[in-house]
Amino acid sequence: MKHRQNPGNPDTSNMISWDARKRPIVPDRPVIPFIEGDGIGPDIWASTRAVLDGAVKRVYAGGRKISWLEIFAGENAMDRYGRDNPLPEETLSAIRRYGVAIKGPLTTPVGGGFRSLNVALRQALDLYACVRPVRYIEGVPAPVKEPGRLDVVIFRENTEDVYAGLEWPAGSDDARELLTLINARSEAKGGTTVSLESAVGIKPMSRKNTSRLVSMAIQYALEHKRKSVTLVHKGNIMKYTEGAFRDWGYQTAREKYGDLTLTEGELYDRFQGKHPAGRIVIKDRIADAMFQQLLLRPEEYDIIATPNLNGDYLSDAAAAQVGGLGMAPGANIGDCCALFEATHGTAPKYAGQDRVNPGSLILSGVEMLRFLGWDEAAELVVRALKRTVSQRTVTYDLARQMKGAREVRCSEFGAAIVENMG
Ligand code: NAP
């Protein structure tokens, strides 16, 4: 059995700290906690670690190195801390302390106290933005003709909306009581009523949480010299929640980034449609139309900011457009920590077979290296990964869609990437 982590007495010289703009200040040997994850987690983590260490070693020749610290969640936490403790406090405090961490997928234990460990992690650490870059890796089989036209980063609000966990089953006393109150209010205003036997859920959305998400998206657009931020909402139907998301988003842009942003209307009225350098265009789209837009006019979109449910659907649809979740990176980011993660699940039927594609976790690691400011190492991984795919050396999921592919194991795919760094 592995030892428990020892959170006492950390060496602060190897800890990430934060500047006034909430950017990480990174030592040359940062301690970065990792959660292997359940199911296929250990396989994809082993491969990812080899690739990230290989790139850092090659680029910085020992001048920089990640000191990995294993922390536990899911099955391996329950083995060590007890069956009722899949997310120990030690794990949360290690992520808070070290600031940046990476994780494999986690099974949600059936009958446990959590709806989902991933949701619990996001809530406990206030990781309010789920960030999903979606760009095409040349050679990956994709369902559209020109997958390379899509290059967006989706900022999905992580803490509110119908994901808040506020719902009651049909016929329960709580549901009836709530619906009685709601019906009375609605009737008094001449509105509709609903059956007291309905299930009911609440969709909270706040100015504060919308504003911090949209700020993060605009900040990212500015730092990465992107052109636009699109607010995606269903405000035509849900006026006080999704509609308010749109209004608060525009308000945040105006009040916090007035000199650095402009609306689509201003772009045409004041600049005759010619994009002024250094300014971010803020626009909005209705969610259903946005699904069409990403397929039909993908190059018109850049950074996307959206509430939780829209973001959930849109991230997976966009990932599918460029070749699927097997290669889609992700991160959950807050003001004092960031957790990078594979976007797919634990694929239990492949657990321990060294078979699946580690691409999603490797590319999440790439995003982590960029977040640390280690861009040269990040670029090296991307170049080597592209070269490996172009050589048609791929895992089963891609091999079954590619002519003439050489199917390799998860670990062999990682090793091929490291070899291609040369
Ligand atoms: P899943 O684990 O993502 O697997 C569904 C299918 O996707 C697999 O059978 C496989 O397809 C394919 N797949 C997933 N990862 C792959 C990879 N790395 N390489 C190649 N193919 C891959 O979804 P699920 O079966 O619905 O969920 C299983 C568990 O994961 C659940 O307990 C769920 O709660 C959890 N989950 C966790 C996270 C997270 O931790 N972030 C996210 C989603 C789900 P083929 O069968 O076609 O080969």
Side-chain angles (χ1 to χ4, degrees):
M1 188 198 260
K2 289 174 202 160
H3 291 295
R4 280 189 182 196
Q5 53 191 294
N6 176 8
N9 213 12
D11 176 0
T12 50
S13 64
N14 287 343
M15 281 165 69
I16 291 167
S17 54
W18 305 86
D19 69 13
R21 288 169 53 225
K22 296 173 186 157
R23 298 290 309 154
I25 302 167
V26 182
D28 285 338
R29 285 167 192 271
V31 174
I32 298 199
F34 68 92
I35 295 168
E36 254 189 353
D38 299 327
I40 55 172
D43 284 351
I44 59 173
W45 169 247
S47 197
T48 299
R49 180 173 173 162
V51 168
L52 299 181
D53 283 345
V56 169
K57 188 171 174 193
R58 187 165 279 273
V59 170
Y60 305 115
R64 283 175 172 172
K65 189 174 187 292
I66 295 172
S67 301
W68 299 108
L69 170 71
E70 182 162 19
I71 56 174
F72 303 102
E75 278 298 330
N76 65 13
M78 291 192 285
D79 290 346
R80 287 166 181 77
Y81 295 79
R83 301 309 294 171
D84 59 347
N85 198 1
L87 186 55
E89 182 49 42
E90 269 179 45
T91 293
L92 294 171
S93 57
I95 300 173
R96 278 191 205 101
R97 182 180 316 117
Y98 293 106
V100 173
I102 185 165
K103 69 175 268 294
L106 292 171
T107 310
T108 298
V110 179
F114 293 108
R115 280 157 62 90
S116 148
L117 286 180
N118 297 301
V119 173
L121 266 166
R122 290 168 197 169
Q123 286 176 348
L125 299 168
D126 198 22
L127 301 169
Y128 59 83
C130 177
V131 184
R132 292 270 201 97
V134 183
R135 62 180 79 89
Y136 181 58
I137 300 263
E138 200 63 45
V140 170
V144 298
K145 280 189 194 148
E146 297 173 290
R149 287 169 62 198
L150 185 68
D151 180 1
V152 295
V153 184
I154 300 174
F155 285 75
R156 163 189 169 196
E157 207 290 325
N158 243 348
T159 63
E160 298 191 310
D161 202 351
V162 286
Y163 286 72
L166 300 170
E167 62 171 0
W168 293 271
S172 64
D173 290 347
D174 287 338
R176 281 204 197 97
E177 207 174 307
L178 259 169
L179 288 169
T180 304
L181 180 72
I182 291 165
N183 282 346
R185 293 273 163 111
S186 183
E187 254 178 337
K189 291 186 178 166
T192 53
T193 57
V194 293
S195 158
L196 293 187
E197 296 311 305
S198 307
V200 63
I202 305 275
K203 180 182 172 77
M205 286 169 71
S206 68
R207 183 197 300 266
K208 175 175 158 268
N209 289 358
T210 299
S211 180
R212 64 183 183 170
L213 177 88
V214 173
S215 295
M216 192 189 277
I218 295 175
Q219 199 64 46
Y220 182 97
L222 289 166
E223 280 166 18
H224 293 82
K225 303 198 182 338
R226 306 291 287 239
K227 287 200 158 117
S228 68
V229 172
T230 305
L231 308 167
V232 177
H233 60 89
K234 273 299 281 182
N236 54 332
I237 305 296
M238 292 168 272
K239 297 185 193 304
Y240 302 132
T241 49
E242 302 258 337
F245 178 90
R246 175 201 55 211
D247 297 345
W248 291 327
Y250 278 118
Q251 186 183 8
T252 301
R254 210 169 41 244
E255 290 176 357
K256 280 184 77 177
Y257 302 95
D259 296 345
L260 299 168
T261 60
L262 73 167
T263 63
E264 224 174 6
E266 287 168 334
L267 176 66
Y268 290 98
D269 294 347
R270 288 176 47 202
F271 297 95
Q272 291 74 48
K274 212 165 166 275
H275 196 131
R279 303 266 297 253
I280 307 294
V281 177
I282 310 293
K283 46 192 178 182
D284 74 280
R285 296 289 182 271
I286 305 282
D288 42 331
M290 190 63 179
F291 279 85
Q292 294 184 38
Q293 294 277 302
L294 285 190
L295 280 165
L296 301 174
R297 294 151 72 167
E299 47 284 286
E300 289 179 22
Y301 299 95
D302 208 347
I303 307 301
I304 292 167
T306 187
N308 212 332
L309 183 62
N310 300 333
D312 195 359
Y313 297 154
L314 205 56
S315 320
D316 280 17
Q321 198 167 322
V322 298
L325 284 179
M327 298 288 269
N332 292 291
I333 301 182
D335 285 337
C336 52
C337 40
L339 180 59
F340 294 80
E341 67 170 357
T343 50
H344 53 73
T346 58
K349 68 181 176 187
Y350 296 116
Q353 293 181 23
D354 191 19
R355 189 150 181 236
V356 294
N357 187 347
S360 171
L361 194 57
I362 290 173
L363 288 169
S364 301
V366 165
E367 294 304 318
M368 185 187 83
L369 292 174
R370 290 206 174 104
F371 189 83
L372 299 177
W374 295 10
D375 293 272
E376 308 88 340
E379 290 313 319
L380 179 60
V381 176
V382 173
R383 274 202 307 279
L385 176 63
K386 283 182 176 167
R387 196 174 298 163
T388 308
V389 173
S390 73
Q391 291 161 347
R392 294 171 186 268
T393 301
V394 289
T395 46
Y396 83 93
D397 53 316
L398 300 183
R400 67 188 170 189
Q401 304 174 66
M402 285 164 85
K403 272 201 185 123
R406 183 166 76 91
E407 183 180 323
V408 291
R409 298 189 159 281
C410 176
S411 55
E412 290 167 339
F413 185 63
I417 295 173
V418 175
E419 208 164 290
N420 272 325
M421 290 175 189

